[in-house]
Amino acid sequence: MREERRKFETWNELIIDFFEYKVAKSNLYKAREYVDKKENDIAAEKDEKKRERLLKARNTKQRELEELRENSPSTEIREWIEKTAATKIAQGNRIIKATHALKFTHGSSASEGIFVAEKANDTVLTTSSFRKNLVTDLAHNNGALITISRFLALKLSHKTIIDLVLEDDFEFLVSFSKDQHQLDNWKNGLKNLVEQREINTADKAKQIYYPLINPGKQTSANYIKYHLIVPLFPSSLAEEIYTTITDLKYGKERKEVRNCKSFGDSAKKNPKYHYKSFVDIPNLGIQTFGGAQPQNISMLNKGRSWKAEKKDKTAWGMTYLFSAQAPTWETHLAPPVNRKSLFDNFSNSTINTELDYLRDFLLRFKQLDLSIKDPKRVRHLERWIDTIIDELLFYVGSIQNLSSGWSDRQGIKLKKEHQYLLDPYRMDAAFQSARQGCDWQAVIRADFAMWLNRRLRGKDKQFTPQKEHTRLWKKLLETPLREFMEPIEAELKQQARG
């Protein structure tokens, strides 16, 4: 998967950038890597004299890099294309465009596969029904061709180099060739490297012969016809899924959203809540293809990587597998009209676990002033409380998403201040006036502290909450609750202005 650094207007720019960032043996790549390393060293260096030496070395190499960018089309890039065009590949083993490559099914198969270009109106998710144009994979029978495949996959204005080669359009190479004779040799060489293959099967495909039998008709075994099914791995679709999930898990913006759910020091440096949703896909599985040689499978397979944390090394050729577990039963969410407080019977497994940890902590350090002497202990305490508050606000948000006005009924037992929190969009002038005219959030914080103390006290009453605990619980809820309600209050003011 290639990270986009900037938009390119010409093939010349794109190909130079390819050598600078992808061809590790090129002088462009080595010079740019050196400059990047010096940039990091300069940023980390505190000593002024050492910084000056580093700056001088960086600037010298930067000038060399700029010269290489200017001269490379007529030097190392020309030499590489010349060498590539002279590469000999046997018929049937050439590089082909594919959305489904057979090597995922059987690693020892030839470079077979199919390219699905037509779009279908299937109601199920398939490669052909996917509305977005998927990236094309390239299948090859020799891992040494991976750099050539990546070159052929370069794309500009919806056309890849392999498309241009198959269409006999070599205008993109004119600026790199020294004369027409060399350009003609490159044309012939590159056309011999690629192939547009018809759909067919192979001996190593895991073929399934499905009998076509009419249930209402007796048919002799000798006359049964079969439909041949060849399940092929959708590499292009797998690339789209990999890119999307990787962005969700590790993208810069998603990282900011995820950090808003973190605890301890990082939580203090970031706002507690983010205006964008936090998206997670639980129970993901990982499957890798190709072992130590993922480039043998396909071009896209080589680029999909996974950092194995326990082994501290990178695994290549990975794909994500979604969980196929049966869904769990979820109870119907109903407004708490028959409770006096939203905290009545408020509990779940996450809250119970965090309460157990918090209670054990407080029993070991019964006096709160003893526990706050060690910042690490405070971070532990805040972490558990933060999780409980997250669960509380998630529940509050779920109730707020119900149809507004549910609290406007006879005989409701729920405390008014809790109604103001849970049913904020109730369009009742008297309700909204009373809501704006009191500090209902203070009541919520006090009731939260009372509920938390009661749960921490437990049936055995080993822990006795002190006034310091109550003040701390209120304080820890104050900012999250206020920030949680700020966009809602702003929306209500906007509606009031009409």
Side-chain angles (χ1 to χ4, degrees):
M1 181 185 67
R2 184 184 186 280
E3 294 182 3
E4 292 295 335
R5 283 172 293 277
R6 61 190 180 93
K7 297 292 183 181
F8 299 101
E9 296 181 358
T10 66
W11 281 109
N12 204 68
E13 292 175 334
L14 179 57
I15 291 172
I16 291 172
D17 180 84
F18 170 72
F19 276 83
E20 184 175 331
Y21 283 89
K22 293 297 181 183
V23 184
K25 293 182 179 180
S26 74
N27 292 325
L28 272 166
Y29 183 97
K30 294 171 184 176
R32 191 267 315 160
E33 190 176 45
Y34 181 92
V35 170
D36 288 349
K37 183 179 183 303
K38 291 303 176 188
E39 289 282 3
N40 293 332
D41 293 343
I42 291 167
E45 184 56 62
K46 304 298 182 184
D47 185 271
E48 191 61 33
K49 290 185 177 180
K50 290 182 179 179
R51 277 176 58 86
E52 288 180 6
R53 288 197 295 270
L54 289 169
L55 279 166
K56 185 177 180 180
R58 190 278 311 273
N59 292 338
T60 300
K61 186 61 71 170
Q62 182 67 44
R63 288 192 293 270
E64 180 183 331
L65 176 58
E66 290 168 1
E67 290 176 3
L68 285 169
R69 286 173 181 158
E70 184 177 350
N71 298 327
S72 61
S74 59
T75 54
E76 66 173 344
I77 297 179
R78 178 184 291 173
E79 293 169 6
W80 184 88
I81 298 173
E82 180 74 26
K83 183 179 178 181
T84 298
T87 302
K88 302 297 182 183
I89 303 179
Q91 185 73 24
N93 290 335
R94 295 176 182 173
I95 299 170
I96 65 167
K97 289 175 62 176
T99 53
H100 301 67
L102 184 57
K103 276 184 171 288
F104 286 95
T105 303
H106 197 299
S108 297
S109 63
S111 56
E112 302 286 352
I114 62 170
F115 177 70
V116 178
E118 295 181 4
K119 295 296 181 181
N121 292 319
D122 299 340
T123 56
V124 296
L125 177 61
T126 64
T127 304
S128 61
S129 68
F130 206 78
R131 291 299 163 217
K132 182 177 179 180
N133 289 325
L134 297 172
V135 61
T136 302
D137 202 353
L138 297 184
H140 45 245
N141 205 38
N142 185 344
L145 300 175
I146 186 68
T147 303
I148 299 176
S149 291
R150 285 178 168 172
F151 174 77
L152 293 171
L154 293 179
K155 190 174 186 178
L156 186 69
S157 301
H158 308 293
K159 284 279 188 178
T160 61
I161 290 180
I162 193 171
D163 291 329
L164 297 176
V165 173
L166 292 170
E167 294 169 8
D168 201 25
D169 180 359
F170 290 87
E171 188 67 26
F172 71 100
L173 286 180
V174 171
S175 63
F176 297 96
S177 59
K178 61 184 178 182
D179 53 39
Q180 186 62 42
H181 176 70
Q182 186 175 53
L183 182 60
D184 290 339
N185 286 337
W186 289 357
K187 288 181 182 180
N188 294 329
L190 291 177
K191 287 171 73 172
N192 286 328
L193 280 173
V194 304
E195 187 175 359
Q196 196 155 10
R197 203 168 297 170
E198 297 293 330
I199 296 176
N200 55 23
T201 186
D203 60 338
K204 292 182 175 63
K206 296 179 180 179
Q207 300 167 147
I208 302 170
Y209 289 86
Y210 189 83
L212 301 176
I213 300 174
N214 188 334
K217 185 178 179 181
Q218 291 271 344
T219 306
S220 170
N222 295 328
Y223 297 97
I224 294 177
K225 294 184 178 180
Y226 294 87
H227 181 75
L228 179 61
I229 300 172
V230 182
L232 291 176
F233 182 85
S235 183
S236 293
L237 184 57
E239 180 74 7
E240 180 68 25
I241 292 170
Y242 169 82
T243 303
T244 301
I245 294 178
T246 301
D247 179 61
L248 282 175
K249 291 170 73 66
Y250 307 112
K252 182 178 179 181
E253 184 180 89
R254 300 296 177 177
K255 186 177 180 181
E256 292 175 0
V257 178
R258 186 169 61 251
N259 283 345
C260 288
K261 289 182 66 65
S262 61
F263 307 109
D265 291 336
S266 58
K268 296 173 184 176
K269 296 175 184 176
N270 296 283
K272 180 61 185 170
Y273 296 98
H274 199 281
Y275 70 97
K276 288 200 173 183
S277 300
F278 174 74
V279 180
D280 189 25
I281 303 175
N283 303 320
L284 278 173
I286 291 175
Q287 182 178 11
T288 59
F289 293 89
Q293 303 295 329
Q295 70 274 14
N296 289 342
I297 303 298
S298 79
M299 179 199 69
L300 291 179
N301 187 64
K302 169 63 177 174
R304 295 191 282 261
S305 64
W306 167 62
K307 187 72 173 178
E309 295 179 1
K310 292 183 179 179
K311 297 180 180 179
D312 195 28
K313 63 181 182 180
T314 300
W316 301 91
M318 66 155 286
T319 56
Y320 289 113
L321 301 176
F322 293 111
S323 172
Q325 298 176 76
T328 55
W329 177 264
E330 293 186 3
T331 56
H332 177 66
L333 185 66
V337 293
N338 295 318
R339 301 188 216 162
K340 292 182 179 180
S341 165
L342 73 90
F343 297 103
D344 292 348
N345 301 319
F346 176 64
S347 181
N348 61 35
S349 59
T350 300
I351 292 172
N352 293 338
T353 299
E354 299 304 301
L355 283 169
D356 287 343
Y357 284 128
L358 179 59
R359 189 167 185 267
D360 180 66
F361 174 86
L362 292 170
L363 286 172
R364 284 187 285 118
F365 305 98
K366 285 193 175 182
Q367 295 298 322
L368 186 61
D369 58 346
L370 293 179
S371 66
I372 63 174
K373 287 184 178 180
D374 185 347
K376 291 182 180 179
R377 292 173 184 169
V378 175
R379 285 198 292 271
H380 280 303
L381 184 146
E382 290 180 350
R383 183 192 67 183
W384 295 315
I385 296 295
D386 282 349
T387 303
I388 293 170
I389 290 173
D390 281 346
E391 292 296 316
L392 169 63
L393 296 181
F394 178 81
Y395 170 75
V396 169
S398 301
I399 297 297
Q400 289 177 345
N401 285 331
L402 298 175
S403 298
S404 61
W406 54 264
S407 61
D408 185 14
R409 65 176 69 188
Q410 290 288 336
I412 186 170
K413 298 178 181 179
L414 190 64
K415 188 182 293 189
K416 275 289 183 183
E417 291 81 3
H418 292 219
Q419 295 180 38
Y420 299 151
L421 171 63
L422 298 177
D423 195 12
Y425 297 108
R426 175 177 159 184
M427 290 299 101
D428 178 331
F431 178 86
Q432 287 296 337
S433 177
R435 185 177 182 278
Q436 298 299 328
C438 69
D439 188 5
W440 57 266
Q441 291 195 19
V443 176
I444 298 296
R445 294 196 298 271
D447 289 347
F448 170 73
M450 187 187 305
W451 166 81
L452 187 54
N453 283 335
R454 186 170 62 249
R455 291 295 305 271
L456 291 170
R457 188 180 292 112
K459 294 181 180 180
D460 56 15
K461 298 183 180 180
Q462 291 186 44
F463 173 70
T464 303
Q466 305 297 318
K467 291 180 180 179
E468 290 83 356
H469 297 101
T470 300
R471 282 197 294 268
L472 182 57
W473 309 153
K474 290 179 182 179
K475 180 181 177 182
L476 290 175
L477 178 60
E478 183 176 5
T479 300
L481 179 60
R482 184 185 68 250
E483 292 181 348
F484 179 83
M485 292 302 301
E486 278 175 354
I488 297 174
E489 302 299 343
E491 186 177 351
L492 289 172
K493 287 180 181 179
Q494 182 68 27
Q495 291 178 7
R497 286 195 293 265

